[in-house]
Amino acid sequence: QTVNILAIGTTARLSGGTPTQYLQEHGTTNKKPVPGIEFPDGVDTGVVIMFPTPKSYGGGPLDFQIHWAQSKSEAVGQIGNNVRWRIRAVSLASGDSFDTAMGAYVVQADAKTEEDRLEITAEFTVTPGNSPAHSELMIVEIERNGPDTDDTLDSNVVLIAAAMKYTATAAVD
């Protein structure tokens, strides 16, 4: 099963850099309004997403893909340069402490392929902290690891959406 998460529905995390809401037209002839969250270059910046896990979720790892683009306000160029995304998650049941440890960060690099293009990372697996199960609160942090020397795209980027896949163990949600 896939859960699609729009970046505009996220909340900035309280520590580190603060991302900003973004809305720009992308394209030249057939322009598209692209809403998202803008992550500055060189700054460890992140957002938090919280949602109840579906009844069909049987626990276990989650597979993610990040949909992103270079900010329209940035200079062109740098094709082939990387953005370093990192994600971690935790699942909380009723009565669990908000101080429960998140799962380990998973880092995923993705290269800019062309000017003014949608970029989608390869699928990568994240194991949530705690003992994830259905009908719990999943908390996911998505970050741009800007200070990482392997983040070589020297411009702001826009998180547009994330696709999260899980293994369904029940027939209904």
Side-chain angles (χ1 to χ4, degrees):
Q1 300 289 354
T2 301
V3 176
N4 294 306
I5 303 163
L6 296 177
I8 206 72
T10 65
T11 301
R13 63 166 202 220
L14 296 175
S15 60
T18 303
T20 57
Q21 284 195 350
Y22 175 92
L23 179 60
Q24 291 276 336
E25 285 188 331
H26 283 252
T28 52
T29 304
N30 299 300
K31 295 181 179 182
K32 309 287 183 293
V34 177
I37 302 296
E38 188 170 25
F39 289 72
D41 175 43
V43 179
D44 187 11
T45 309
V47 295
V48 177
I49 304 161
M50 294 184 186
F51 56 91
T53 53
K55 289 181 183 176
S56 62
Y57 173 56
L62 305 168
D63 294 326
F64 282 90
Q65 282 186 297
I66 302 296
H67 300 240
W68 67 279
Q70 182 178 15
S71 174
K72 192 70 172 169
S73 62
E74 296 292 321
V76 296
Q78 303 186 60
I79 292 171
N81 287 12
N82 284 318
V83 173
R84 300 276 287 188
W85 297 101
R86 63 183 185 181
I87 296 184
R88 64 182 180 169
V90 66
S91 185
L92 300 178
S94 180
D96 283 350
S97 170
F98 281 106
D99 201 30
T100 301
M102 302 283 284
Y105 278 113
V106 175
V107 177
Q108 179 68 34
D110 197 45
K112 177 184 171 185
T113 58
E114 290 289 335
E115 297 300 338
D116 206 17
R117 301 279 196 250
L118 172 67
E119 307 290 353
I120 303 173
T121 67
E123 199 169 277
F124 58 101
T125 301
V126 174
T127 301
N130 211 3
S131 299
H134 69 81
S135 304
E136 294 185 348
L137 181 66
M138 185 67 70
I139 302 171
V140 178
E141 290 182 354
I142 301 176
E143 302 175 355
R144 180 185 184 183
N145 196 7
D148 188 313
T149 57
D150 290 330
D151 186 315
T152 56
L153 187 62
D154 296 329
S155 68
N156 295 358
V157 297
V158 179
L159 172 66
I160 299 168
M164 183 192 78
K165 295 180 185 175
Y166 65 92
T167 302
T169 58
V172 295
D173 278 329

